[in-house]
Amino acid sequence: MEKATENLSPGTKGGFDSETREAIRTAKRVVVKIGSSSLTGSDGRTDPERIDFIADALEKRMGISDVIVVSSGAVASGMGPLGLTSRPTDLATKQAAAAVGQVRLAQEWGRSFLRYGRTSAQVLLTSDDAGVRSRARNAQRTIDRLRQLGAVPIVNENDTVATSEFRFGDNDRLAALVSHLAYCDALILLSDVDGLYDRNPADPGATFVPEVRSGNDLRGVIAGDGGALGTGGMASKVSAARLASRAGVPVLLTSASNIERALDQADVGTAFAAKDNRLSAWKFWMLYAADSSGLLRLDAGAVDAVTRMRKSLLPVGITSVDGEFSAGDIVDLIGPGGEVIGRGEVNYDSEELLGMIGYHTEELPNDMQKPVVHADYLSDFASRA
């Protein structure tokens, strides 16, 4: 693997400095996500030298920060040993490759960190784990306790059991979710590209994008899909970076070969500025990770009340209820045009709510005068733009 000093991103030309990069430099808790292509050779096998190079840089950062690693590479690592020449597309073969690759990948991380006397731990998650609040809390507690005990959490999607219905989609999104749910101060996304360009960087006319402060900085940017060994291309990385930054976590996107400078000076790659008002862990989980148990259709007045006026949702503004859910479940809120306008924690089960639709609060019995969704437990999607 190339050393960072041999492959600096255009972001180093001119010594970029900003509040965002300073926040990343000084972050006390950091998630570092590494893509498959940065950990494996062309034969699909894990490359010890690449892993050692990354572990060396991570060890240096651990002197000032807690570090959580989100590691891709399980499926890719299993391809070589199973004699597969291309990434499998059917679920059974993909899961078989992951079963082999997870063992090999965990062994390599363990071997590499042991050079520094550090213990590493494998944490395998599915989107179902993040979608159920109790299981998300368990994952949080496990990761936090591992850090307290001095172990390095190595998080990956559990490809051996994940199905199309229970997938994060790629480890970039997983890293964004972990960065917020584990109360991290920064996210660093590493791959084989040194940063974000407005088009394919192989195009001679491609322009480097050093900083993204809002969606306006992404106008005209064309981001591609994943490569031969991975699922998360530049499009998924931009999406994950915006997800984390909208939730209040600054992000640095660069290549694995730039990892030393990314973790030290943060003067490489593309920086994504965080929104000023960080979402609470609960609201972030509700918006981006929680499973929805049903939906409530609202009239225009109710949409205006919960989005513009930030009021609680009352029965009078609900036009219909879909799905079977219980009090305390998460439901989607649907506008009159069929658009999803937000989510919230409902105070009534679906059967009870059916008899409340269209009524004013004072027309209902005392035990039914709570809001359907209280404003404190409601988030509208307009606020995350």
Side-chain angles (χ1 to χ4, degrees):
M1 176 175 287
E2 291 179 292
K3 300 296 184 184
T5 53
E6 298 169 356
N7 186 29
L8 298 184
S9 96
T12 60
K13 298 174 182 178
F16 282 153
D17 195 14
S18 67
E19 290 183 5
T20 299
R21 293 179 187 269
E22 177 63 18
I24 295 168
R25 276 193 292 270
T26 59
K28 296 302 182 184
R29 189 176 298 180
V30 181
V31 170
V32 180
K33 185 268 176 179
I34 304 115
S36 298
S37 60
S38 303
L39 301 171
T40 57
S42 58
D43 60 356
R45 298 176 186 270
T46 51
D47 186 333
E49 290 188 5
R50 289 175 180 238
I51 290 177
D52 286 349
F53 173 73
I54 291 169
D56 290 344
L58 293 173
E59 173 64 25
K60 290 180 182 177
R61 180 61 185 245
M62 288 176 192
I64 63 170
S65 306
D66 288 335
V67 175
I68 299 169
V69 178
V70 174
S71 172
S72 296
V75 174
S77 297
M79 287 169 49
L82 291 176
L84 302 174
T85 56
S86 60
R87 186 178 179 88
T89 56
D90 67 288
L91 183 61
T93 306
K94 190 179 297 183
Q95 291 175 331
V100 173
Q102 281 172 355
V103 174
R104 292 175 176 267
L105 193 60
Q107 287 176 335
E108 284 300 327
W109 279 119
R111 174 201 59 76
S112 192
F113 279 115
L114 195 58
R115 296 174 301 143
Y116 295 101
R118 290 192 184 274
T119 298
S120 61
Q122 186 179 57
V123 180
L124 299 177
L125 300 173
T126 67
S127 64
D128 199 30
D129 296 320
V132 179
R133 187 58 176 159
S134 61
R135 292 165 70 172
R137 286 197 187 105
N138 286 337
Q140 288 174 336
R141 284 193 290 263
T142 298
I143 292 172
D144 200 46
R145 187 60 178 145
L146 285 170
R147 292 186 308 95
Q148 291 171 3
L149 293 170
V152 184
I154 310 291
V155 183
N156 196 354
E157 180 161 18
N158 193 352
D159 290 307
T160 61
V161 299
T163 64
S164 57
E165 298 90 42
F166 296 110
R167 290 187 59 84
F168 291 102
D170 54 71
N171 275 341
D172 299 311
R173 178 176 172 82
L174 172 58
L177 292 172
V178 169
S179 70
H180 194 278
L181 296 178
Y183 306 102
C184 292
D185 306 306
L187 168 63
I188 297 177
L189 297 173
L190 302 174
S191 66
D192 52 3
V193 182
D194 60 10
L196 177 64
Y197 290 78
D198 64 349
R199 68 193 79 173
N200 189 328
D203 186 327
T207 300
F208 184 74
V209 180
E211 197 129 348
V212 176
R213 291 167 292 275
S214 71
N216 292 333
D217 295 322
L218 293 173
R219 288 181 179 173
V221 173
I222 302 172
D225 295 326
L229 292 177
T231 57
M234 186 55 68
S236 80
K237 288 169 180 54
V238 171
S239 177
R242 295 203 71 202
L243 171 59
S245 62
R246 279 193 296 252
V249 179
V251 182
L252 185 63
L253 169 61
T254 190
S255 66
S257 58
N258 281 339
I259 185 171
E260 290 178 337
R261 292 190 72 111
L263 291 172
D264 182 15
Q265 302 173 49
D267 61 352
V268 290
T270 301
F272 289 74
K275 283 191 70 173
D276 292 336
N277 297 320
R278 180 166 182 157
L279 291 175
S280 69
W282 185 88
K283 281 199 172 182
F284 182 84
W285 168 79
M286 178 182 66
L287 280 172
Y288 298 108
D291 294 330
S292 175
S293 299
L295 57 88
L296 308 180
R297 299 186 185 277
L298 316 184
D299 61 26
V303 171
D304 185 61
V306 301
T307 57
R308 186 179 64 83
M309 302 172 69
R310 300 288 188 263
K311 290 188 174 182
S312 299
L313 176 62
L314 304 177
V316 68
I318 300 173
T319 59
S320 67
V321 176
D322 291 342
E324 295 183 6
F325 50 82
S326 302
D329 285 347
I330 302 301
V331 295
D332 289 328
L333 308 180
I334 310 297
E339 70 281 10
V340 181
I341 60 100
R343 302 184 110 189
E345 182 181 297
V346 68
N347 283 322
Y348 304 93
D349 62 38
S350 52
E351 186 176 350
E352 189 176 27
L353 191 52
L354 283 170
M356 301 168 59
I357 292 175
Y359 282 92
H360 290 278
T361 302
E362 61 271 15
E363 298 174 319
L364 295 167
N366 290 338
D367 61 349
M368 291 185 176
Q369 293 193 359
K370 292 185 299 184
V372 176
V373 180
H374 193 281
D376 290 344
Y377 297 94
L378 183 155
S379 282
D380 68 278
F381 287 0
S383 66
R384 61 178 180 159

